[in-house]
Amino acid sequence: MVSATVGRGAVLGAVVLSLLAVPARAATAAANAPATTALPAPDTAGLAAALRATVDRGAPGALARIDDRNASYRATDGFADRSTLRPLATEDRFRIGSVTKSFSAVVLLQLADEHRLSLDAPVNLYLPGLLPDDRITVRQVLSHRSGLYDYTNDLFADSVSGFEAVRNKVFTYRELVALSLRKPRTNAPGAAYAYSNTNFVVAGLLIEKLTGQSVRTAYQERIFKPLNLRDTFYVHPDTTIPGPFARGYLTPDRAGEPLVDATDQTVSWAQSAGAIISSARDLNIFYSALLEGRLLSRARLAEMERFTPVNSTTAYGLGLRRRDLSCGISVYGHTGAVQGYYTYAFATKDGARSVTAVANTSNNGAVLDTLGGVLESAFCGKTAKR
């Protein structure tokens, strides 16, 4: 093992960077994985600098883990807990926010593989009367092209008071859909991409209707257990994170006000749109397995990877983002934002290299943008544009 530690002083904690020559995923998967175009080596100095800058911009701590076949690169900066000053560790668990959407999409695509679901069928075929328009299809829900209004725009118009109002509240899926339907739809079905958490609340309802199971059981039986995701949980409506975890801190809207410890919450306002808990290790395993073809048939994975452009650097498929980096490499995964945490989790097209980066704050655009620099260091190496 080669390791290096660079001191940062008592205020920001320490930067820790290590390269571990250990298996990043099952040996059988590595042996069966398709050949990949050689990527530049990760820029470990750039990785550490991105985390350092993320903390400088207001995150109590930041971490990143890169898994690349049989090597793992790990880096941390700052604190997991502002009260005890415990340093953040790459093994810490955290709330993954909208990265949950990829898990929900995988379950529904598995059901399509099992001929229990048609992507182009109306949602109302499976959930009669749920939506006001029979033209809204499952595919449109999973690709954010349904036109359903995002109810979270109203819930969190003010970050702190909005959060405190729902921190311990338990919603039903249908209550969340009803919040959306109070507002006009953003576009006609299929007409445009418009990101909305409502879509993946509908996905949760579909999962439970078609499987006859809770979302928690569907995740466990179809993804968590088969991949041995030992740090990944769906505990809703419980409010605590099991095991070792990073505390999450919500940045208030008004400058100068203190961060709010948002760690304990039901996340009932999100559920199948954003309530999973995981770790960097587990998210890397998940996206590598997905892109290697271990969770879906080739045909369903191709459906997931039919992307609609969002802007000049990103596109959206079915619960899956594509991000185009400065060096010409495209990576696939999802971003996540939930009170107290930002997450980036992405992998190469063949799943050979994966990275998860986390900052334990939210509602801070500078932190979110800076943390994204981890992707450039992880996949573009020293060729990344700075």
Side-chain angles (χ1 to χ4, degrees):
M1 181 175 72
V2 178
S3 64
T5 302
V6 181
R8 298 217 56 214
V11 176
L12 297 182
V15 176
V16 180
L17 180 66
S18 63
L19 167 60
L20 303 178
V22 297
R25 56 186 63 85
T28 53
N32 295 330
T36 181
T37 302
L39 293 176
D43 178 7
T44 55
L47 185 71
L51 298 184
R52 183 178 305 121
T54 298
V55 171
D56 288 342
R57 284 161 176 76
L63 67 86
R65 173 172 172 149
I66 303 169
D67 286 313
D68 189 6
R69 291 294 187 218
N70 62 350
S72 179
Y73 304 78
R74 309 179 192 187
T76 65
D77 194 318
F79 300 120
D81 188 323
R82 296 176 71 233
S83 297
T84 65
L85 302 186
R86 180 177 75 80
L88 194 62
T90 53
E91 295 76 22
D92 283 339
R93 297 166 182 169
F94 49 88
R95 300 190 185 279
I96 69 173
S98 286
V99 180
T100 300
K101 292 178 171 67
S102 291
F103 288 78
S104 296
V106 164
V107 173
L108 286 178
L109 288 165
Q110 287 177 345
L111 292 169
D113 268 331
E114 296 163 13
H115 306 291
R116 299 164 68 182
L117 171 75
S118 171
L119 292 174
D120 293 312
V123 169
N124 283 352
L125 176 66
Y126 305 106
L127 298 165
L130 177 71
L131 301 180
D133 193 330
D134 287 339
R135 296 175 299 167
I136 297 174
T137 67
V138 177
R139 186 188 303 277
Q140 290 163 356
V141 162
L142 294 181
S143 59
H144 293 296
R145 294 185 300 114
S146 69
L148 293 170
Y149 178 77
D150 189 348
Y151 61 87
T152 65
N153 293 336
D154 299 330
L155 286 183
F156 306 122
D158 183 273
S159 60
V160 174
S161 63
F163 168 64
E164 294 295 359
V166 300
R167 179 198 281 263
N168 295 306
K169 191 167 183 177
V170 178
F171 294 92
T172 67
Y173 283 123
R174 290 180 180 270
E175 285 173 338
L176 295 175
V177 172
L179 290 177
S180 169
L181 297 182
R182 292 177 183 174
K183 294 293 184 71
R185 279 167 281 156
T186 56
N187 50 260
Y193 168 91
Y195 191 91
S196 173
N197 285 288
T198 308
N199 289 310
F200 279 80
V201 170
V202 172
L205 275 168
L206 285 166
I207 290 169
E208 295 199 341
K209 177 64 178 291
L210 293 169
T211 65
Q213 301 172 321
S214 67
V215 163
R216 177 189 301 195
T217 300
Y219 291 151
Q220 288 175 336
E221 297 301 319
R222 292 173 172 270
I223 304 174
F224 300 172
K225 288 182 181 178
L227 295 181
N228 189 28
L229 302 184
R230 63 193 184 207
D231 299 317
T232 305
F233 306 90
Y234 185 84
V235 302
H236 174 268
D238 290 349
T239 60
T240 57
I241 301 175
F245 62 89
R247 303 199 72 82
Y249 299 92
L250 174 61
T251 305
D253 292 318
R254 286 168 282 278
E257 293 187 356
L259 298 178
V260 174
D261 189 329
T263 310
D264 293 342
Q265 56 171 302
T266 62
V267 201
S268 193
W269 62 266
Q271 299 186 54
S272 52
I276 287 177
I277 294 161
S278 193
S279 67
R281 167 197 176 269
D282 280 9
L283 292 185
N284 285 356
I285 290 172
F286 168 67
Y287 278 113
S288 289
L290 172 61
L291 293 161
E292 288 170 354
R294 291 195 279 132
L295 290 172
L296 300 172
S297 69
R298 182 173 297 183
R300 294 293 82 75
L301 182 57
E303 298 267 20
M304 197 176 199
E305 294 173 345
R306 288 172 56 182
F307 292 101
T308 298
V310 174
N311 55 39
S312 62
T313 60
T314 61
Y316 205 90
L318 302 183
L320 189 71
R321 289 190 187 277
R322 188 190 73 216
R323 185 158 175 144
D324 305 324
L325 303 180
S326 67
C327 57
I329 293 170
S330 294
V331 292
Y332 304 80
H334 216 288
T335 51
V338 63
Q339 292 92 350
Y341 306 90
Y342 282 136
T343 303
Y344 287 82
F346 285 85
T348 51
K349 182 70 160 58
D350 61 357
R353 183 180 297 177
S354 54
V355 65
T356 294
V358 181
N360 59 342
T361 195
S362 64
N363 198 40
N364 183 324
V367 165
L368 179 63
D369 292 343
T370 303
L371 185 66
V374 166
L375 300 181
E376 296 282 335
S377 297
F379 296 108
C380 295
K382 294 183 179 179
T383 66
K385 294 178 182 178
R386 304 298 181 190

XYZ file of all heavy atoms in Angstrom, residues 84-152:
549
model
N -17.890 16.761 17.241
C -16.790 15.970 17.791
C -15.490 16.142 17.008
O -14.437 15.715 17.471
C -17.146 14.477 17.783
O -17.275 14.034 16.423
C -18.451 14.227 18.526
N -15.570 16.767 15.833
C -14.414 16.931 14.929
C -13.852 15.586 14.477
O -12.663 15.473 14.184
C -13.325 17.792 15.576
C -13.744 19.205 16.013
C -12.538 19.987 16.495
C -14.454 19.940 14.890
N -14.714 14.579 14.409
C -14.251 13.303 13.854
C -13.989 13.465 12.369
O -14.848 13.939 11.630
C -15.296 12.208 14.069
C -14.848 10.854 13.502
C -15.846 9.750 13.765
N -17.036 9.808 12.937
C -17.095 9.378 11.676
N -16.013 8.876 11.075
N -18.233 9.452 11.009
N -12.816 13.059 11.899
C -12.518 13.194 10.473
C -13.448 12.315 9.627
O -13.858 11.230 10.043
C -11.063 12.714 10.355
C -10.494 12.852 11.734
C -11.642 12.584 12.663
N -13.769 12.806 8.454
C -14.557 12.021 7.511
C -13.747 10.814 7.049
O -12.532 10.903 6.856
C -14.919 12.899 6.315
C -15.992 12.418 5.349
C -17.326 12.265 6.060
C -16.118 13.399 4.193
N -14.411 9.683 6.861
C -13.759 8.468 6.375
C -14.473 8.001 5.115
O -15.686 8.175 4.971
C -13.805 7.361 7.434
N -13.723 7.401 4.192
C -14.355 6.954 2.950
C -15.323 5.797 3.183
O -16.129 5.484 2.309
C -13.298 6.530 1.907
O -12.405 5.568 2.486
C -12.523 7.730 1.412
N -15.271 5.168 4.339
C -16.203 4.092 4.661
C -17.525 4.606 5.232
O -18.467 3.824 5.413
C -15.571 3.122 5.663
C -14.364 2.359 5.135
C -13.098 3.204 5.069
O -13.018 4.223 5.799
O -12.204 2.858 4.279
N -17.600 5.900 5.538
C -18.808 6.447 6.154
C -20.017 6.314 5.228
O -19.913 6.455 4.006
C -18.614 7.929 6.496
C -17.776 8.132 7.744
O -17.678 7.193 8.558
O -17.213 9.237 7.905
N -21.162 6.058 5.833
C -22.419 6.009 5.097
C -23.042 7.403 5.038
O -22.740 8.261 5.866
C -23.369 5.013 5.762
C -22.835 3.594 5.739
C -23.587 2.675 6.683
N -23.019 1.329 6.678
C -23.332 0.375 7.537
N -24.220 0.630 8.501
N -22.767 -0.820 7.464
N -23.947 7.594 4.090
C -24.541 8.911 3.877
C -25.850 8.736 3.117
O -26.121 7.683 2.536
C -23.584 9.823 3.092
C -23.017 9.177 1.852
C -23.686 9.241 0.636
C -21.818 8.473 1.906
C -23.185 8.624 -0.495
C -21.302 7.856 0.772
C -21.988 7.926 -0.427
N -26.659 9.775 3.090
C -27.893 9.777 2.316
C -27.559 10.141 0.872
O -26.910 11.155 0.627
C -28.909 10.762 2.907
C -29.284 10.424 4.352
C -30.467 11.258 4.837
N -30.748 11.006 6.246
C -31.433 9.973 6.720
N -31.916 9.072 5.873
N -31.647 9.828 8.018
N -28.036 9.325 -0.076
C -27.587 9.483 -1.464
C -28.537 10.325 -2.304
O -28.253 10.602 -3.480
C -27.362 8.126 -2.151
C -28.689 7.388 -2.395
C -26.408 7.277 -1.323
C -28.525 6.113 -3.223
N -29.671 10.762 -1.742
C -30.571 11.619 -2.496
C -31.009 10.984 -3.803
O -31.355 9.799 -3.864
N -30.957 11.756 -4.871
C -31.523 11.314 -6.146
C -30.736 10.219 -6.843
O -31.212 9.695 -7.862
C -31.676 12.508 -7.083
O -32.769 13.304 -6.672
N -29.594 9.817 -6.328
C -28.950 8.615 -6.849
C -29.905 7.425 -6.678
O -29.846 6.451 -7.434
C -27.595 8.366 -6.155
C -26.927 7.104 -6.690
C -26.671 9.571 -6.364
N -30.817 7.535 -5.720
C -31.869 6.537 -5.524
C -32.644 6.277 -6.817
O -33.123 5.153 -7.054
C -32.845 7.014 -4.426
O -32.123 7.199 -3.198
C -33.988 6.037 -4.212
N -32.774 7.280 -7.658
C -33.573 7.130 -8.873
C -33.040 6.032 -9.778
O -33.817 5.338 -10.453
C -33.658 8.464 -9.610
C -34.478 9.520 -8.866
C -34.508 10.838 -9.596
C -35.502 11.814 -8.951
N -35.114 12.249 -7.609
N -31.731 5.847 -9.812
C -31.185 4.756 -10.627
C -31.620 3.400 -10.084
O -31.910 2.469 -10.856
C -29.656 4.833 -10.666
O -29.211 5.959 -11.394
N -31.678 3.242 -8.772
C -32.128 1.990 -8.170
C -33.596 1.727 -8.537
O -33.968 0.604 -8.889
C -31.978 2.037 -6.650
C -30.553 1.968 -6.160
C -29.720 3.080 -6.196
C -30.041 0.791 -5.638
C -28.421 3.019 -5.732
C -28.735 0.712 -5.167
C -27.918 1.827 -5.221
N -34.423 2.761 -8.442
C -35.841 2.591 -8.756
C -36.026 2.232 -10.228
O -36.849 1.367 -10.569
C -36.602 3.880 -8.428
O -36.548 4.152 -7.041
N -35.265 2.886 -11.095
C -35.365 2.582 -12.522
C -34.938 1.150 -12.810
O -35.560 0.457 -13.629
C -34.516 3.564 -13.327
N -33.884 0.687 -12.147
C -33.425 -0.689 -12.367
C -34.521 -1.683 -12.008
O -34.776 -2.649 -12.752
C -32.131 -0.970 -11.575
C -31.865 -2.479 -11.485
C -30.946 -0.274 -12.227
N -35.202 -1.475 -10.888
C -36.266 -2.414 -10.506
C -37.348 -2.454 -11.574
O -37.794 -3.533 -11.990
C -36.853 -2.038 -9.136
C -38.077 -2.914 -8.831
C -35.816 -2.196 -8.037
N -37.768 -1.298 -12.069
C -38.819 -1.286 -13.086
C -38.334 -1.894 -14.402
O -39.093 -2.596 -15.089
C -39.318 0.139 -13.307
C -40.211 0.690 -12.181
C -40.622 2.124 -12.467
C -41.447 -0.171 -11.966
N -37.082 -1.673 -14.748
C -36.560 -2.279 -15.973
C -36.410 -3.788 -15.823
O -36.586 -4.539 -16.797
C -35.235 -1.615 -16.353
C -35.384 -0.179 -16.879
C -34.047 0.530 -16.889
C -36.001 -0.161 -18.266
N -36.106 -4.251 -14.638
C -36.116 -5.704 -14.397
C -37.521 -6.261 -14.601
O -37.701 -7.346 -15.176
C -35.611 -6.006 -12.985
C -34.118 -5.812 -12.804
C -33.672 -6.061 -11.376
O -34.477 -6.112 -10.454
N -32.367 -6.214 -11.176
N -38.526 -5.531 -14.145
C -39.900 -5.969 -14.346
C -40.260 -5.980 -15.834
O -41.031 -6.835 -16.291
C -40.859 -5.070 -13.554
C -40.751 -5.195 -12.031
C -41.540 -4.099 -11.342
C -41.231 -6.569 -11.564
N -39.693 -5.040 -16.591
C -39.886 -5.073 -18.039
C -39.222 -6.312 -18.639
O -39.775 -6.957 -19.538
C -39.332 -3.795 -18.669
N -38.031 -6.659 -18.133
C -37.366 -7.883 -18.588
C -38.212 -9.118 -18.290
O -38.165 -10.113 -19.025
C -36.000 -8.027 -17.904
C -34.864 -7.405 -18.709
O -34.971 -7.353 -19.949
O -33.866 -6.980 -18.091
N -38.963 -9.054 -17.211
C -39.809 -10.184 -16.805
C -41.186 -10.146 -17.473
O -42.060 -10.937 -17.131
C -39.955 -10.170 -15.279
C -38.640 -10.389 -14.550
C -38.689 -9.974 -13.077
O -39.816 -9.754 -12.556
O -37.621 -9.846 -12.462
N -41.380 -9.192 -18.398
C -42.645 -9.051 -19.137
C -43.819 -8.740 -18.218
O -44.966 -9.092 -18.498
C -42.927 -10.307 -19.972
C -41.797 -10.684 -20.874
N -41.422 -9.939 -21.971
C -40.924 -11.725 -20.817
C -40.382 -10.504 -22.571
N -40.053 -11.586 -21.883
N -43.525 -8.039 -17.130
C -44.575 -7.618 -16.209
C -44.885 -6.130 -16.359
O -45.756 -5.592 -15.676
C -44.155 -7.932 -14.770
C -43.929 -9.416 -14.547
C -43.163 -9.709 -13.271
N -43.915 -9.408 -12.070
C -43.417 -9.552 -10.841
N -42.170 -9.982 -10.671
N -44.153 -9.275 -9.784
N -44.171 -5.480 -17.264
C -44.292 -4.040 -17.443
C -43.907 -3.692 -18.875
O -42.933 -4.241 -19.411
C -43.355 -3.311 -16.465
C -43.178 -1.807 -16.639
C -44.415 -1.086 -16.144
C -41.951 -1.315 -15.873
N -44.648 -2.786 -19.501
C -44.270 -2.233 -20.796
C -43.898 -0.768 -20.612
O -44.690 0.010 -20.046
C -45.418 -2.344 -21.791
O -45.128 -1.618 -22.971
N -42.727 -0.389 -21.062
C -42.265 0.983 -20.874
C -43.155 1.991 -21.584
O -43.270 3.141 -21.152
C -40.827 1.120 -21.361
C -39.768 0.377 -20.545
C -38.406 0.476 -21.213
C -39.695 0.910 -19.118
N -43.766 1.591 -22.677
C -44.581 2.524 -23.448
C -46.064 2.430 -23.130
O -46.898 3.051 -23.801
C -44.326 2.310 -24.944
C -42.901 2.705 -25.309
O -42.476 3.802 -24.909
O -42.205 1.908 -25.957
N -46.402 1.689 -22.084
C -47.785 1.637 -21.625
C -48.084 2.847 -20.731
O -47.200 3.369 -20.050
C -48.034 0.349 -20.848
N -49.324 3.298 -20.708
C -49.684 4.388 -19.795
C -49.527 3.963 -18.335
O -49.828 2.825 -17.978
C -51.157 4.655 -20.128
C -51.388 4.044 -21.465
C -50.451 2.876 -21.554
N -49.074 4.886 -17.523
C -49.003 4.618 -16.083
C -50.376 4.202 -15.557
O -50.503 3.303 -14.719
C -48.487 5.861 -15.334
C -48.669 5.697 -13.821
C -47.030 6.130 -15.677
N -51.420 4.834 -16.073
C -52.766 4.552 -15.578
C -53.246 3.145 -15.916
O -54.243 2.673 -15.336
C -53.755 5.575 -16.126
C -53.671 6.904 -15.405
O -52.977 7.034 -14.395
N -54.365 7.909 -15.917
N -52.562 2.452 -16.823
C -52.904 1.054 -17.064
C -52.636 0.224 -15.820
O -53.370 -0.713 -15.502
C -52.084 0.515 -18.243
C -52.246 -0.979 -18.564
C -53.665 -1.260 -19.057
C -51.221 -1.417 -19.602
N -51.565 0.555 -15.111
C -51.168 -0.192 -13.914
C -51.719 0.442 -12.634
O -51.939 -0.265 -11.645
C -49.644 -0.255 -13.827
C -49.020 -0.817 -15.078
C -48.354 0.008 -15.979
C -49.106 -2.173 -15.375
C -47.782 -0.510 -17.144
C -48.547 -2.705 -16.532
C -47.887 -1.859 -17.413
O -47.344 -2.369 -18.560
N -51.939 1.750 -12.665
C -52.424 2.482 -11.497
C -53.630 3.314 -11.943
O -53.533 4.530 -12.124
C -51.316 3.383 -10.929
C -50.068 2.664 -10.420
C -48.917 3.642 -10.231
C -50.366 1.937 -9.109
N -54.758 2.684 -12.157
C -55.915 3.372 -12.745
C -56.308 4.640 -11.979
O -56.431 4.632 -10.749
C -57.027 2.322 -12.661
C -56.295 1.008 -12.662
C -55.027 1.266 -11.887
N -56.434 5.724 -12.742
C -56.902 6.983 -12.170
C -55.856 7.783 -11.425
O -56.166 8.866 -10.908
N -54.624 7.291 -11.350
C -53.613 8.029 -10.583
C -53.312 9.377 -11.212
O -53.235 10.394 -10.520
C -52.320 7.211 -10.481
C -51.176 7.929 -9.752
C -51.482 8.031 -8.251
C -49.844 7.209 -9.970
N -53.116 9.403 -12.516
C -52.686 10.614 -13.211
C -53.824 11.167 -14.060
O -54.687 10.411 -14.527
C -51.464 10.310 -14.086
C -50.244 9.757 -13.335
C -49.092 9.501 -14.297
C -49.807 10.704 -12.214
N -53.817 12.476 -14.304
C -54.934 13.099 -15.028
C -54.851 12.950 -16.543
O -55.737 13.441 -17.245
C -54.804 14.573 -14.629
C -53.341 14.760 -14.383
C -52.869 13.480 -13.780
N -53.823 12.279 -17.037
C -53.635 12.155 -18.478
C -53.203 10.725 -18.800
O -52.125 10.277 -18.393
C -52.567 13.147 -18.943
C -52.525 13.306 -20.455
O -52.848 12.327 -21.166
O -52.158 14.401 -20.930
N -54.031 10.012 -19.548
C -53.722 8.623 -19.898
C -52.566 8.502 -20.877
O -52.099 7.395 -21.131
C -54.952 7.947 -20.515
C -56.026 7.632 -19.485
O -55.685 7.556 -18.286
O -57.203 7.480 -19.871
N -52.099 9.617 -21.410
C -50.980 9.562 -22.352
C -49.623 9.436 -21.659
O -48.627 9.128 -22.301
C -50.973 10.811 -23.245
C -52.185 10.947 -24.165
C -52.118 12.274 -24.904
N -52.150 13.398 -23.984
C -51.851 14.663 -24.334
N -51.483 14.937 -25.588
N -51.922 15.637 -23.442
N -49.564 9.689 -20.360
C -48.280 9.647 -19.647
C -47.843 8.194 -19.499
O -48.521 7.385 -18.869
C -48.381 10.318 -18.266
C -48.724 11.805 -18.422
C -47.065 10.159 -17.501
C -48.990 12.512 -17.109
N -46.688 7.866 -20.080
C -46.202 6.483 -20.086
C -45.142 6.262 -19.014
O -44.566 7.205 -18.461
C -45.594 6.134 -21.450
O -44.401 6.918 -21.648
C -46.577 6.387 -22.585
N -44.857 5.001 -18.771
C -43.797 4.638 -17.832
C -42.463 5.209 -18.323
O -41.681 5.751 -17.531
C -43.715 3.104 -17.676
C -42.551 2.728 -16.762
C -45.036 2.551 -17.145
N -42.187 5.100 -19.603
C -40.934 5.628 -20.145
C -40.806 7.135 -19.886
O -39.739 7.631 -19.522
C -40.844 5.361 -21.647
C -39.491 5.748 -22.249
C -39.498 5.642 -23.764
N -39.868 4.316 -24.234
C -39.017 3.291 -24.334
N -37.741 3.463 -23.987
N -39.426 2.118 -24.782
N -41.887 7.866 -20.060
C -41.844 9.315 -19.831
C -41.601 9.643 -18.363
O -40.901 10.613 -18.043
C -43.142 9.944 -20.329
C -43.268 9.934 -21.838
C -44.683 10.172 -22.313
O -45.624 10.282 -21.523
N -44.860 10.262 -23.632
N -42.154 8.850 -17.469
C -41.901 9.045 -16.040
C -40.424 8.829 -15.736
O -39.785 9.643 -15.045
C -42.799 8.096 -15.219
C -42.283 7.949 -13.797
C -44.241 8.599 -15.213
N -39.840 7.746 -16.240
C -38.451 7.417 -15.919
C -37.457 8.346 -16.591
O -36.295 8.419 -16.177
C -38.150 5.969 -16.307
C -38.891 4.889 -15.508
C -38.484 3.504 -15.988
C -38.621 5.024 -14.017
N -37.886 9.065 -17.617
C -36.980 9.977 -18.332
C -37.283 11.443 -18.045
O -36.735 12.329 -18.694
C -37.067 9.728 -19.847
O -38.391 9.929 -20.318
N -38.134 11.720 -17.083
C -38.517 13.090 -16.716
C -39.119 13.844 -17.901
O -38.863 15.028 -18.100
C -37.315 13.863 -16.152
C -36.827 13.362 -14.841
N -37.574 13.399 -13.690
C -35.643 12.783 -14.493
C -36.871 12.883 -12.686
N -35.705 12.494 -13.145
N -39.945 13.162 -18.664
C -40.637 13.809 -19.785
C -42.154 13.672 -19.662
O -42.875 13.777 -20.641
C -40.141 13.221 -21.118
C -38.679 13.528 -21.398
C -38.212 13.061 -22.768
N -38.370 11.619 -22.912
C -39.215 11.034 -23.758
N -39.991 11.760 -24.543
N -39.290 9.714 -23.832
N -42.614 13.484 -18.439
C -44.056 13.324 -18.201
C -44.789 14.650 -18.134
O -45.994 14.719 -18.365
C -44.292 12.579 -16.889
O -43.908 13.401 -15.786
N -44.079 15.710 -17.741
C -44.710 16.999 -17.504
C -45.295 17.158 -16.114
O -45.902 18.189 -15.810
N -45.114 16.179 -15.234
C -45.642 16.281 -13.873
C -44.832 17.291 -13.059
O -43.605 17.214 -12.991
C -45.614 14.913 -13.193
C -46.553 13.856 -13.787
C -46.249 12.485 -13.193
C -48.019 14.228 -13.578
N -45.505 18.219 -12.443
C -44.866 19.281 -11.669
C -44.101 18.700 -10.482
O -44.567 17.753 -9.834
C -45.936 20.263 -11.169
C -45.413 21.380 -10.309
C -44.767 22.470 -10.866
C -45.571 21.339 -8.923
C -44.297 23.509 -10.068
C -45.109 22.368 -8.117
C -44.468 23.448 -8.704
O -43.990 24.466 -7.905
N -42.939 19.287 -10.173
C -42.125 18.831 -9.044
C -42.599 19.521 -7.767
O -42.334 20.711 -7.555
C -40.650 19.143 -9.296
C -39.732 18.509 -8.263
O -40.228 18.020 -7.219
O -38.503 18.494 -8.495
N -43.297 18.778 -6.924
C -43.860 19.321 -5.681
C -42.795 19.834 -4.725
O -43.085 20.656 -3.852
C -44.715 18.252 -4.985
C -43.922 17.023 -4.612
C -43.240 16.943 -3.405
C -43.808 15.952 -5.490
C -42.489 15.832 -3.081
C -43.063 14.831 -5.171
C -42.392 14.788 -3.976
O -41.633 13.692 -3.665
N -41.544 19.374 -4.867
C -40.504 19.828 -3.938
C -40.161 21.299 -4.149
O -39.593 21.931 -3.250
C -39.227 18.979 -4.050
O -38.638 19.142 -5.337
C -39.535 17.512 -3.798
